[in-house]
């Protein structure tokens, strides 16, 4: 078959809702888009541990500390799981991590904001993991088997992350006036960056044409964003917290919450590297990479010794 016939057969398979598995022929750009999205997703999970890790030693109770530790451990696993999914596309994990360490690779804009108070840990679980779940349950229906299946397992753990975050912030909002103010302050700072993290508007999204034609994403950024907003506004109301958007209003006809203008200038500034914590996050990852060198070296020598033993025994 020539390329045109292969591409037609591939598109027919996508359009019929079948999964594409590793080692199957795919258009080069299908592979490139997946490596781009999956690697950024994996980097997001790893970098996302940093703002939360900042509060492990300062959690207000043993229970909150244990829950936070479990969540951060999950995120590390998600990152390793997603690097494995990327490797099914023929890319080396080391190459992807180098791209992160050298500042070439993107990771989610949301992790370039600081965690200033304990309430931020609740806001991250509730809003960031909440937005991630809405996005990831959509990606779980995507066409590439290894990635869509990774989403199924990750979403189960994200649901725990989302509930623990909402519970944390809800409890604070029912507490003393100072605690409620802390919860409201966290919502004020994390609401709009959580809206932005779901990607540019459909009109400005330069990859969505391809990623949706090939059902890597089965719904658009704006559709996922609207679902996140509709799900989250009532939760804020139930907690007695106010969404920081004077233009927020419920449209009885459409059944959706309508929000004010999104500040895309801030979003593009952050993804260009000028967010509040971009430099700090990159430095932390570079230091961790350097400090972990001896572990990788020891593992390599051990593997070589084991392989030499096997060869000798054979
Ligand atoms: N942060 C950083 N970069 C972003 C971004 C964000 N929130 N949203 C978009 N961009 C970048 C894109 O990577 C693209 O740049 P590139 O072409 O150089 O890669 C550019 O902005 C244009 O955006 P597009 O709309 O064309 O990009 P996408 O179609 O990829 O849409 C996305 C963006 C919705 C984030 C999509 O990439 C996606 O669904 N990715 C997989 C999920 C993911 O990465 N989630 C990270 C969230 S954090 C997380 O899950 C951790 C959990 O524990 C909370």
């Amino acid at each position: 078959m020539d390329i045109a016939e292969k591409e037609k057969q591939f598109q027919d398979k996508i359009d019929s809702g079948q999964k594409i598995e590793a080692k199957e022929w795919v258009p080069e750009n299908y592979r490139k888009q997946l490596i781009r999205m999956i690697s950024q997703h994996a980097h997001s999970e790893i970098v996302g541990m940093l703002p939360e890790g900042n509060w492990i030693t300062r959690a207000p109770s043993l229970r909150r500390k244990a829950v936070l530790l479990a969540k951060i451990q999950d995120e590390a696993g998600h990152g390793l799981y997603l690097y494995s999914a990327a490797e099914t596309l023929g890319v080396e994990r080391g190459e992807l991590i180098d791209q992160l360490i050298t500042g070439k690779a993107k990771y989610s804009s949301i992790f370039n904001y600081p965690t200033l108070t304990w309430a931020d840990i609740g806001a991250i679980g509730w809003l960031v993991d909440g937005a991630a779940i809405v996005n990831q349950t959509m990606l779980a229906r995507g066409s590439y088997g290894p990635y869509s299946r990774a989403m199924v397992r990750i979403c189960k753990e994200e649901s725990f992350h989302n509930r623990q975050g909402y519970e944390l912030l809800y409890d604070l909002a029912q507490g003393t006036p100072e605690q409620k103010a802390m919860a409201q302050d966290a919502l004020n700072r994390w609401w709009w960056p959580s809206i932005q993290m779901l990607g540019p508007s459909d009109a400005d999204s330069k990859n969505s044409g391809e990623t949706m034609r090939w059902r890597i994403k089965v719904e658009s950024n704006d559709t996922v964003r609207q679902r996140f907003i509709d799900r989250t506004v009532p939760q804020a109301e139930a907690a007695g917290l106010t969404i920081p958007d004077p233009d927020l209003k419920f449209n009885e006809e459409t059944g959706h919450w309508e929000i004010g203008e999104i500040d895309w200038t801030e979003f593009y500034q952050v993804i260009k590297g000028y967010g509040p914590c971009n430099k700090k996050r990159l430095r932390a990852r570079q230091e961790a990479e350097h400090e972990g060198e001896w572990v990788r070296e020891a593992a390599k020598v051990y593997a070589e010794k084991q392989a030499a033993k096997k060869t000798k025994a054979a």
Side-chain angles (χ1 to χ4, degrees):
M1 271 190 286
D2 65 20
I3 281 286
E5 286 164 329
K6 279 184 172 179
E7 282 175 349
K8 178 165 179 340
Q9 189 179 59
F10 174 80
Q11 192 63 51
D12 290 346
K13 192 167 181 180
I14 294 279
D15 295 344
S16 65
Q18 295 177 60
K19 293 287 183 191
I20 303 297
E21 295 302 336
K23 305 223 187 309
E24 280 189 56
W25 183 87
V26 298
E28 187 50 23
N29 268 8
Y30 178 84
R31 181 179 164 278
K32 279 191 185 140
Q33 282 287 5
L34 276 164
I35 290 174
R36 178 186 68 82
M37 272 178 65
I38 300 174
S39 61
Q40 288 175 12
H41 197 162
H43 297 330
S44 303
E45 303 280 4
I46 300 297
V47 173
M49 293 191 283
L50 294 168
E52 294 182 303
N54 184 24
W55 280 90
I56 292 174
T57 56
R58 293 180 285 174
S61 70
L62 181 60
R63 173 175 180 270
R64 289 290 181 200
K65 186 196 282 274
V67 168
L68 181 55
L69 280 168
K71 176 183 188 311
I72 293 172
Q73 190 176 322
D74 282 350
E75 308 298 10
H78 296 173
L80 299 180
Y81 209 50
L82 287 165
Y83 284 130
S84 301
E87 285 178 323
T88 65
L89 291 150
V91 69
E92 285 297 316
R93 175 183 310 230
E95 182 190 338
L96 299 178
I97 293 171
D98 281 349
Q99 288 166 4
L100 176 64
I101 299 295
T102 52
K104 282 198 209 92
K106 287 193 172 77
Y107 55 86
S108 187
S109 47
I110 194 70
F111 294 123
N112 289 308
Y113 290 86
T115 43
L116 303 177
T117 73
W118 171 252
D120 288 28
I121 298 305
I124 289 179
W126 174 37
L127 300 174
V128 177
D129 289 68
I133 287 178
V134 175
N135 191 38
Q136 288 162 183
T137 42
M138 177 274 290
L139 294 169
R141 289 181 278 138
S143 61
Y144 187 57
Y147 191 35
S148 63
R149 289 189 293 269
M151 290 299 101
V152 174
R153 168 168 161 195
I154 286 177
C155 285
K156 286 181 184 143
E157 293 176 339
E158 296 291 6
S159 302
F160 144 63
H161 302 169
N162 177 240
R163 292 311 300 165
Q164 65 81 35
Y166 182 64
E167 181 209 38
L168 189 162
L169 218 55
Y170 184 94
D171 287 352
L172 277 177
Q174 315 317 308
T176 63
E178 294 78 10
Q179 288 172 326
K180 176 155 186 171
M182 188 195 283
Q184 184 60 57
D185 164 60
L187 175 54
N188 293 347
R189 286 183 287 107
W190 288 89
W191 172 251
W192 288 105
S194 302
I195 296 280
Q196 293 163 356
M197 77 178 252
L198 289 165
S201 65
D202 293 354
D204 296 336
S205 172
K206 63 184 165 93
N207 295 293
S208 291
E210 271 192 336
T211 52
M212 289 188 71
R213 176 155 54 84
W214 287 326
R215 293 180 58 79
I216 294 171
K217 285 203 289 195
V218 295
E219 287 177 306
S220 76
N221 296 352
D222 286 339
T223 302
V224 173
R225 194 179 347 264
Q226 185 62 62
R227 186 173 303 131
F228 167 65
I229 292 164
D230 289 344
R231 177 180 187 266
T232 309
V233 171
Q235 291 174 335
E237 289 184 340
L241 294 170
T242 307
I243 297 283
D245 176 2
D247 299 320
L248 180 72
K249 63 179 180 300
F250 187 71
N251 183 319
E252 294 292 344
E253 263 177 53
T254 62
H256 293 303
W257 284 94
E258 291 172 358
I259 62 170
E261 278 300 302
I262 299 174
D263 178 359
W264 291 115
T265 314
E266 176 186 336
F267 171 75
Y268 284 110
Q269 277 299 96
V270 172
I271 69 170
K272 278 192 198 121
Y274 305 113
C277 297
N278 294 56
K279 291 187 178 45
K280 187 177 172 189
R281 300 289 182 243
L282 185 56
R283 201 173 41 250
R285 286 307 315 147
Q286 290 168 337
E287 285 165 8
E289 187 70 9
H290 173 69
E291 284 157 16
E293 185 61 41
W294 70 273
V295 178
R296 290 189 294 278
E297 203 40 48
K300 197 164 141 250
V301 168
Y302 176 74
E304 285 162 358
K305 279 197 173 143
Q306 289 302 93
K309 262 190 210 158
K310 269 201 189 127
T311 321
K312 211 165 158 201

